[in-house]
Amino acid sequence: MTAEPFVVIGGDAAGLSAASKCKREAPDREVVVFEKGRWVSYAHCGTPYYVKGEIDALTDLLSLSPTAIDDRGIDLRREHEITGVDTDERTVTVRGPDGEAREQSYGDLLVATGGHALTGPIDGTDLLGAFSLHGMDDAAAIRAALEPAGEATVESLGGGEFLDPSVIEPYADRTPPETVAIVGGGYVGVEMAEAFVAHGLDVHVFQRGEHVLGPFGEAVGERVGTELRDRGVTLHLGETVERLAGDERVERLECAGGTALDVDLALVGVGIEPNVGLVADTPVELGDSGAVAVDDYGRTAVENVYAAGDCAEARHAVTGEFDWVPLGLTANRAGRAIGQTVAGDPKPTGDIAGTAVVKAFDRECGRTGLVDHERAEAAGFDPVSETVTDASRSGYYPGAAETVVTLTADRETGRLLGGTIVGTDRAAVRIDTVATALEGDMTVDEVETLDLAYAPPFSPVWDPVLTAAKVLNGSLDD
Amino acid sequence: MTAEPFVVIGGDAAGLSAASKCKREAPDREVVVFEKGRWVSYAHCGTPYYVKGEIDALTDLLSLSPTAIDDRGIDLRREHEITGVDTDERTVTVRGPDGEAREQSYGDLLVATGGHALTGPIDGTDLLGAFSLHGMDDAAAIRAALEPAGEATVESLGGGEFLDPSVIEPYADRTPPETVAIVGGGYVGVEMAEAFVAHGLDVHVFQRGEHVLGPFGEAVGERVGTELRDRGVTLHLGETVERLAGDERVERLECAGGTALDVDLALVGVGIEPNVGLVADTPVELGDSGAVAVDDYGRTAVENVYAAGDCAEARHAVTGEFDWVPLGLTANRAGRAIGQTVAGDPKPTGDIAGTAVVKAFDRECGRTGLVDHERAEAAGFDPVSETVTDASRSGYYPGAAETVVTLTADRETGRLLGGTIVGTDRAAVRIDTVATALEGDMTVDEVETLDLAYAPPFSPVWDPVLTAAKVLNGSLDD
């Protein structure tokens, strides 16, 4: 067993999954986790629902408390920032809360530094009242900004020992906003539209493309657009936001085409970037995506250095190539596998299919695999898609709801490449059927003859996924 | 093209799927469907919800009307019973409504005669008020028996042109029942318990085994037992019903062990048998199950004679052997494939996995593949199972509900063999993930690394199916 410790940079999903699994499999191995912030092991994906008010306390989003992490025998050091990595000496430089830098040697190193929200190329995102939503402090600040003046405190927000009062201070005495602009109609934009509507705000979503939820394709995007409008959200499609303007605080949003809107609050959700600065000057290599390049075990180009989570690539089940799809399960799974590998029992991190689901008010949306034709063509496929509109239950059964499924396949081989779904009744989890078929390398013909579940309250005789496969199979035969 | 017509015996799921597909692919081919009753193309699985009162009219359960069938160019002859099959001469003997027998020649023949409800070895099932639920007439009669005296008519029941008044006549003037016994705690028993409770009856379920829903395994059966009791249903487990007794009408139920109960109505749901009498004296062969033996294209031992639906076997995706699992999708799918084959473009009927879902009040239950260890051992496997109790959503998200997943795998190969699920929140459709993995011949290791969907409103980071795979994988390593 390596004498030097397993050092983990980053105390969220990937980092703590790796630390926990390593400790479980190799209890004698020293495991040290450095986290630059106060928060650890929290559920990113839950933050919109915290802002919405469906979840009372920020600390409800913690998967593990520092005490529980300590109980696992993990040496967790919060507010410790890694400022340098030396892969020749196998050391990292750490700056603790006292501001002093120390060296820490490692036997194995996991880079689990996550990502950060993109704000560019939009001007004025540093104004007060201009937010992105990436992490717990952002969620706390937005929630504080929505509360009546003087009401938001660390305690009222459920910030526990983790929330620094300075995060919410600028918003404590402010009149709550009435008009909010969301820049970007992706996951974060759609989820936050729901959250802001719940607070009674006048919500405007600005989206560069012609429909929201771009990665979910047109069939989903259009229906979610309708849902948002039905809920009172104003959609500004085909608009490129250039600037947030104001004097100290955000007061106005301006688009390239001249559209402008007076706003009290702005949320910029235009994507994230991997945090790779730490390894920039090391022999650790980046992939074409800009995230850390790894192999099937999460190993980087440097021996004993691993990467996982939102900062790392993973192999895509459909293309077979490495790709960057920062999602929660991927981070947890890769971390856990690396923990086992470091403990001496190598385990692949697993392929990704880019499976994602999102709730837009009552619409459930799912996507997996390759949906975009340009993307599929770039990967060497000849994509064919069909979209069907079906019912979620037998047509005569109460509650049967419209369910729209799109499947994409390769014309030559018939192989399933990807799919999307949108509907109000148990739609999202049905994408797992498509994801599983993708990872099983199934053809549309094989999907069409899957023995899926049928009972009137849950599905028509032919599940919507089967119906889509039937129709697509017909097109492939043409 | 064969000059003689494609003759189909039976006008329900398999028969009409085959007729429709053949007509679509080969419009010039003559297609004749003989149905001995009045009803055609109806949704068996919807009948409990009709009895419950969630569906107003019996005719709502029709997938296709006779007119729509006619519009497809299919020669449908209702109230025409086939009384003989001569595979040497390629003819069937038909008795029409006038009582006269005629010969009909065929080029291809599909036996889609369905099944019938078992009643033996229970005495007294011919008494008035003793029902089984297999088909539309049974549903009409039971619903009539639940209505206040004098209220049930063909019109009030939504029987349209299909319901023979003699079916409901015996129940028209009867006082509605107060106490009902259900013999058998399978799908029909569980669904009908919900239906009878909705009518305010005192409901008793008698089950030979130690839990209900035997094919769903113990974890599901026990939770559904709890659900039934919570809803006021009295469960009599480990009881073998011997006799229904009464003077013309059912008055009493008696078990082998001495248990007895005064009842006003009894529903016997102890399974079905394939209708194979018609081919008994022909060279068409039966399989070990007693249903018609077929190949992967639904072809019987006799050239140009096919069988599909509840009277026929199909190949099981896990065992690779032919088996008899009478379910709605199987019938539709096999019929459709045979229609295409008969039209000149051969298509396999597809494997079955025995995937089934059932609603028990608010509990959603699913099963697929091999669940029973004895059954798995008989198929040559060394089964290992694990059951996990997980949440349907992120634990902090409102509505997260207990979800219990059992997965079974073969110890030596790690191959997934089957699974079950039970829960109140989107549980049933999750079994499709397991069914798809089964048909993809996946190992538990592969299931554990599936990229399934995660978002707090729909799933924890690790979907309950993934968690079950993780735990089972751990057991396989032991």
Side-chain angles (χ1 to χ4, degrees):
Chain A
M1 188 167 293
T2 318
E4 294 295 331
F6 175 31
V7 168
V8 175
I9 312 177
D12 199 8
L16 283 169
S17 294
S20 298
K21 183 67 177 172
C22 180
K23 258 313 206 196
R24 201 173 319 128
E25 301 295 317
D28 295 337
R29 182 75 188 266
E30 187 183 350
V31 178
V32 188
V33 177
F34 294 106
E35 165 55 46
K36 70 176 175 182
R38 293 188 179 189
W39 295 100
V40 286
S41 188
Y42 55 92
H44 262 294
C45 301
T47 52
Y49 304 101
Y50 167 75
V51 174
K52 184 180 176 188
E54 281 188 307
I55 294 150
D56 287 336
L58 257 182
T59 50
D60 290 343
L61 298 180
L62 295 180
S63 305
L64 284 173
S65 67
T67 311
I69 295 165
D70 188 60
D71 288 347
R72 293 184 179 187
I74 297 165
D75 181 358
L76 170 67
R77 310 207 196 148
R78 294 187 290 150
E79 300 182 88
H80 279 68
E81 185 170 8
I82 304 295
T83 57
V85 175
D86 185 332
T87 56
D88 293 331
E89 297 297 323
R90 297 197 176 185
T91 58
V92 293
T93 310
V94 193
R95 190 173 56 213
D98 56 8
E100 282 186 31
R102 294 186 306 106
E103 299 289 294
Q104 165 73 52
S105 60
Y106 65 80
D108 296 283
L109 179 69
L110 172 60
V111 179
T113 45
H116 61 272
L118 277 170
T119 52
I122 301 162
D123 283 343
T125 55
D126 53 347
L127 289 167
L128 275 177
F131 298 95
S132 53
L133 180 65
H134 196 79
M136 302 285 268
D137 286 346
D138 287 341
I142 298 171
R143 180 84 174 259
L146 299 177
E147 301 284 325
E151 291 204 359
T153 64
V154 169
E155 198 183 350
S156 77
L157 296 171
E161 60 175 296
F162 306 95
L163 182 60
D164 187 328
S166 69
V167 168
I168 60 170
E169 209 173 354
Y171 305 99
D173 294 327
R174 193 197 185 202
T175 310
E178 290 178 2
T179 303
V180 55
I182 296 174
V183 184
Y187 308 90
V188 168
V190 165
E191 290 170 345
M192 288 302 287
E194 182 180 331
F196 289 132
V197 166
H199 285 274
L201 302 186
D202 180 20
V203 180
H204 294 255
V205 173
F206 292 81
Q207 165 77 341
R208 267 201 305 202
E210 289 308 315
H211 58 82
V212 296
L213 289 180
F216 287 71
E218 195 179 321
V220 177
E222 287 191 347
R223 280 159 184 89
V224 171
T226 302
E227 177 85 22
L228 291 174
R229 289 196 183 95
D230 287 349
R231 301 296 184 138
V233 174
T234 305
L235 283 192
H236 304 265
L237 299 175
E239 293 278 9
T240 301
V241 176
E242 262 190 342
R243 177 178 306 113
L244 302 176
D247 177 18
E248 192 175 343
R249 293 186 182 275
V250 167
E251 291 167 16
R252 190 173 164 79
L253 172 146
E254 295 168 6
C255 296
T259 303
L261 181 74
D262 288 342
V263 300
D264 307 312
L265 192 153
L267 178 84
V268 179
V270 293
I272 74 165
E273 266 183 344
N275 290 330
V276 294
L278 258 190
V279 296
D281 299 325
T282 73
V284 169
E285 291 173 8
L286 304 184
D288 290 339
S289 69
V292 180
V294 292
D295 69 5
D296 288 315
Y297 291 79
R299 295 183 283 230
T300 69
V302 177
E303 208 181 354
N304 295 86
V305 179
Y306 301 79
D310 289 359
C311 66
E313 295 190 336
R315 194 187 290 278
H316 197 286
V318 179
T319 65
E321 305 293 322
F322 281 86
D323 203 343
W324 180 62
V325 186
L327 286 170
L329 173 60
T330 311
N332 275 273
R333 200 175 62 179
R336 189 169 182 271
I338 290 166
Q340 182 171 328
T341 298
V342 166
D345 177 16
K347 185 182 172 77
T349 55
D351 289 354
I352 56 167
T355 311
V357 286
V358 63
K359 178 178 176 300
F361 294 92
D362 287 344
R363 301 253 181 167
E364 305 185 356
C365 316
R367 60 96 56 222
T368 188
L370 301 183
V371 168
D372 182 66
H373 279 209
E374 278 182 35
R375 175 98 202 282
E377 282 159 9
F381 299 107
D382 180 7
V384 186
S385 294
E386 287 290 350
T387 297
V388 302
T389 300
D390 201 349
S392 61
R393 314 178 180 191
S394 294
Y396 55 80
Y397 192 89
E402 182 187 271
T403 306
V404 180
V405 178
T406 301
L407 291 181
T408 301
D410 178 48
R411 183 179 293 281
E412 192 185 329
T413 59
R415 183 177 169 196
L416 183 71
L417 300 177
T420 69
I421 192 165
V422 58
T424 53
D425 179 36
R426 298 180 175 83
V429 291
R430 287 188 207 269
I431 202 66
D432 287 341
T433 304
V434 185
T436 305
L438 278 184
E439 299 218 28
D441 291 333
M442 288 187 184
T443 63
V444 177
D445 207 45
E446 290 170 321
V447 175
E448 183 188 332
T449 54
L450 285 173
D451 188 4
L452 300 186
Y454 157 53
F458 307 129
S459 172
V461 176
W462 296 87
D463 185 275
V465 171
L466 296 179
T467 299
K470 249 195 316 192
V471 173
L472 180 53
N473 216 3
S475 296
L476 290 173
D477 288 343
D478 290 346
Chain B
M1 186 169 290
T2 317
E4 294 295 330
F6 175 32
V7 168
V8 175
I9 311 177
D12 200 8
L16 282 169
S17 294
S20 297
K21 183 67 176 170
C22 180
K23 258 313 208 195
R24 201 174 316 129
E25 301 295 317
D28 294 338
R29 182 74 188 265
E30 187 184 351
V31 178
V32 189
V33 176
F34 294 106
E35 165 56 47
K36 70 177 175 182
R38 294 188 178 189
W39 295 100
V40 286
S41 189
Y42 55 92
H44 263 294
C45 302
T47 53
Y49 305 101
Y50 167 76
V51 173
K52 185 180 177 189
E54 281 189 306
I55 294 151
D56 286 335
L58 257 181
T59 51
D60 290 343
L61 298 180
L62 295 180
S63 306
L64 284 173
S65 67
T67 309
I69 295 165
D70 189 57
D71 288 347
R72 293 184 179 187
I74 297 165
D75 181 359
L76 169 66
R77 310 209 194 146
R78 294 186 291 150
E79 299 184 90
H80 279 70
E81 184 170 9
I82 304 294
T83 57
V85 175
D86 185 332
T87 57
D88 292 331
E89 298 296 324
R90 298 198 175 183
T91 60
V92 294
T93 308
V94 193
R95 190 172 55 212
D98 57 7
E100 281 185 32
R102 292 185 308 104
E103 300 289 295
Q104 166 73 51
S105 60
Y106 66 80
D108 295 285
L109 180 70
L110 171 59
V111 179
T113 45
H116 61 272
L118 277 169
T119 51
I122 300 164
D123 284 342
T125 55
D126 52 348
L127 288 167
L128 275 176
F131 297 95
S132 53
L133 180 65
H134 195 77
M136 302 285 268
D137 286 347
D138 287 342
I142 298 169
R143 179 84 174 260
L146 300 177
E147 300 287 324
E151 289 203 2
T153 64
V154 168
E155 199 184 345
S156 77
L157 296 171
E161 59 175 295
F162 306 95
L163 183 59
D164 186 329
S166 69
V167 167
I168 58 169
E169 210 174 354
Y171 306 99
D173 295 326
R174 193 194 185 202
T175 309
E178 291 179 1
T179 304
V180 54
I182 295 173
V183 183
Y187 310 87
V188 169
V190 165
E191 290 170 344
M192 288 301 289
E194 181 180 333
F196 288 132
V197 165
H199 285 275
L201 302 186
D202 180 21
V203 180
H204 295 255
V205 173
F206 292 82
Q207 165 78 340
R208 269 204 300 204
E210 289 307 317
H211 58 81
V212 295
L213 288 181
F216 287 71
E218 195 178 321
V220 177
E222 287 189 348
R223 280 160 184 88
V224 171
T226 302
E227 177 84 23
L228 292 174
R229 288 194 182 96
D230 288 349
R231 301 296 184 137
V233 175
T234 307
L235 283 191
H236 304 265
L237 298 175
E239 292 278 10
T240 302
V241 175
E242 263 191 340
R243 178 178 305 113
L244 302 175
D247 177 16
E248 194 176 343
R249 293 184 180 276
V250 167
E251 292 167 14
R252 190 174 164 81
L253 172 148
E254 295 169 6
C255 295
T259 304
L261 181 73
D262 288 341
V263 299
D264 306 312
L265 192 154
L267 178 85
V268 179
V270 293
I272 73 164
E273 266 183 344
N275 290 330
V276 293
L278 260 190
V279 296
D281 299 325
T282 72
V284 170
E285 289 172 11
L286 303 184
D288 290 341
S289 69
V292 178
V294 291
D295 69 6
D296 288 316
Y297 291 80
R299 295 184 282 232
T300 69
V302 176
E303 207 182 354
N304 294 87
V305 179
Y306 300 79
D310 289 0
C311 66
E313 294 189 336
R315 193 187 291 277
H316 197 287
V318 180
T319 66
E321 305 291 323
F322 280 86
D323 203 345
W324 180 63
V325 185
L327 287 171
L329 174 61
T330 311
N332 276 273
R333 200 175 62 179
R336 188 169 182 272
I338 290 166
Q340 182 171 328
T341 298
V342 166
D345 178 17
K347 185 182 172 77
T349 55
D351 289 354
I352 56 168
T355 311
V357 285
V358 63
K359 177 178 176 300
F361 293 92
D362 287 343
R363 301 253 181 167
E364 306 185 356
C365 317
R367 58 97 58 221
T368 188
L370 302 183
V371 168
D372 182 66
H373 279 209
E374 278 183 34
R375 175 93 203 286
E377 282 159 9
F381 298 107
D382 180 7
V384 186
S385 294
E386 287 290 350
T387 297
V388 303
T389 299
D390 201 347
S392 60
R393 314 177 181 193
S394 294
Y396 55 79
Y397 193 87
E402 182 187 90
T403 305
V404 181
V405 177
T406 302
L407 292 181
T408 302
D410 179 48
R411 184 179 294 281
E412 194 186 327
T413 60
R415 183 178 169 196
L416 182 70
L417 299 177
T420 69
I421 192 165
V422 58
T424 53
D425 179 36
R426 298 181 177 82
V429 292
R430 285 189 209 269
I431 201 67
D432 288 342
T433 305
V434 185
T436 305
L438 278 184
E439 300 218 28
D441 291 335
M442 288 186 183
T443 63
V444 177
D445 209 43
E446 290 170 322
V447 175
E448 184 187 331
T449 54
L450 285 174
D451 188 3
L452 300 186
Y454 157 53
F458 306 129
S459 172
V461 177
W462 297 87
D463 185 274
V465 171
L466 297 179
T467 301
K470 248 193 318 191
V471 173
L472 180 53
N473 217 2
S475 295
L476 289 173
D477 288 342
D478 289 346

